[in-house]
């Protein structure tokens, strides 16, 4: 593949998303088997380090961003897990292109990589950074606000999480969002910053192991969440 930034050709994995079978986390980190494929979500040019889902395309601002000192520093920081650096580099490129919500998403993905690498301090810091990027962008819809609440809770910013959740609950959100927010508020009250899945927010019959996620999704009006998840895999420009 030919890098859109430096023009050098390299071999790159071509990622084909596998539909998740397990329920996603409350921040919509997908369930397995998709969950375990993060290492192949982004391509990275071995010459200039440009990183994106498809390095054959680049926003004009991205081409400039790759040459800057902050980008080089993010990519070269060996104190951070390698996979997380790739997501942070991509987040920086997106931020410089003005795509703040997409940058928030990539920063949250860096936090997921930190979770997997057992670096809780980094994961908390990057969740906080993701929230700042979400809030710096255009107004968020109810589903996105749920993810902000979850990122705040997992970053142990419990007061901000509670205030944001209560504000959303008061806005008469769709039923499935209200269910997740009720669970978030219970977890926040317990000062629980751990990982929980969307399945915990659903009524008990939905938790029967033989029911496929597709069936659960339909029965519980989860279509919006799954549509949202699918949007995560489209290349962003
Ligand atoms: Zn390159």
């Amino acid at each position: 593949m030919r890098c859109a930034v430096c023009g050098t050709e390299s071999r790159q994995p071509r990622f084909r998303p596998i539909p998740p079978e397990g329920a996603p986390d409350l921040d919509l980190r997908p369930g397995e088997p998709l969950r375990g494929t993060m290492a192949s979500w982004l391509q990275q040019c071995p010459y200039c380090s440009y990183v994106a889902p498809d390095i054959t395309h680049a926003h004009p601002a991205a081409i400039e961003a790759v040459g800057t000192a902050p980008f080089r520093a993010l990519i070269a920081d060996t104190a951070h897990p390698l996979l997380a650096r790739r997501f942070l580099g991509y987040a920086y490129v997106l931020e410089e292109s003005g795509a703040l919500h997409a940058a928030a998403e990539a920063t949250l993905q860096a936090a997921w990589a930190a979770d997997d690498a057992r670096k809780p301090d980094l994961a908390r810091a990057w969740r906080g950074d993701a929230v700042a990027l979400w809030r710096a962008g255009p107004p968020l819809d109810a589903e996105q606000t749920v993810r902000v609440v979850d990122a705040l809770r997992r970053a142990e910013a419990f007061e901000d999480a509670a205030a944001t959740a209560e504000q959303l609950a008061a806005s008469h959100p769709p039923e499935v969002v209200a269910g997740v927010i009720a669970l978030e508020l219970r977890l926040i009250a317990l000062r629980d910053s751990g990982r929980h899945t969307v399945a915990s927010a659903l009524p008990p019959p939905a938790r029967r192991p033989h029911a496929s996620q597709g069936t659960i999704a339909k029965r519980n009006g989860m279509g919006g969440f799954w549509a949202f998840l699918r949007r995560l895999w489209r290349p962003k420009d």
Side-chain angles (χ1 to χ4, degrees):
M1 294 203 178
R2 194 181 172 81
C3 172
V5 171
C6 71
T8 313
E9 286 186 12
S10 61
R11 293 181 69 85
Q12 295 291 336
R14 199 181 278 278
F15 177 59
R16 289 182 198 287
I18 325 148
E21 286 165 18
D25 295 357
L26 291 175
D27 64 4
L28 296 188
R29 179 173 181 184
E32 294 292 3
L34 187 54
R35 185 185 192 87
T37 62
M38 279 186 78
S40 46
W41 291 0
L42 296 175
Q43 300 176 346
Q44 186 166 28
C45 173
Y47 301 96
C48 70
S49 301
Y50 173 52
V51 59
D54 174 3
I55 60 167
T56 64
H57 292 95
H59 187 285
I63 296 171
E64 216 163 293
V66 168
T68 63
F71 178 84
R72 314 303 312 174
L74 281 174
I75 293 295
D77 190 344
T78 51
H80 297 159
L82 185 65
L83 184 57
R85 279 187 258 159
R86 229 187 277 166
F87 284 101
L88 291 177
Y90 182 45
Y92 180 78
V93 164
L94 288 167
E95 189 181 351
E96 291 299 297
S97 318
L100 297 180
H101 288 179
E105 190 71 48
T107 305
L108 180 66
Q109 289 168 354
W112 297 346
D115 290 338
D116 291 348
R118 299 180 194 284
K119 302 275 185 192
D121 295 351
L122 293 176
R124 273 193 295 273
W126 292 335
R127 281 188 166 89
D129 292 346
V131 169
L133 285 163
W134 266 314
R135 286 175 167 169
L140 296 165
D141 63 18
E143 284 171 9
Q144 287 280 22
T145 306
V146 170
R147 308 180 74 211
V148 168
V149 170
D150 195 67
L152 288 167
R153 178 182 66 79
R154 296 202 58 189
E156 297 176 7
F158 293 115
E159 279 174 30
D160 194 349
T164 308
E166 277 156 13
Q167 205 175 7
L168 179 59
S171 71
H172 305 288
E175 200 182 331
V176 63
V177 171
V180 175
I181 281 298
L183 172 62
E184 288 283 1
L185 284 167
R186 288 197 298 277
L187 296 171
I188 293 163
L190 295 166
R191 295 293 186 260
D192 179 338
S193 62
R195 172 198 166 206
H196 294 271
T197 72
V198 168
S200 336
L202 301 179
R207 277 184 248 164
R208 282 182 305 204
H210 64 262
S212 77
Q213 287 299 318
T215 318
I216 292 171
K218 272 179 215 136
R219 196 193 303 142
N220 293 285
M222 290 291 293
F225 265 113
W226 294 104
F228 183 82
L229 261 187
R230 278 194 299 272
R231 286 205 295 277
L232 297 183
W233 315 124
R234 286 199 201 132
K236 297 168 182 100
D237 36 36

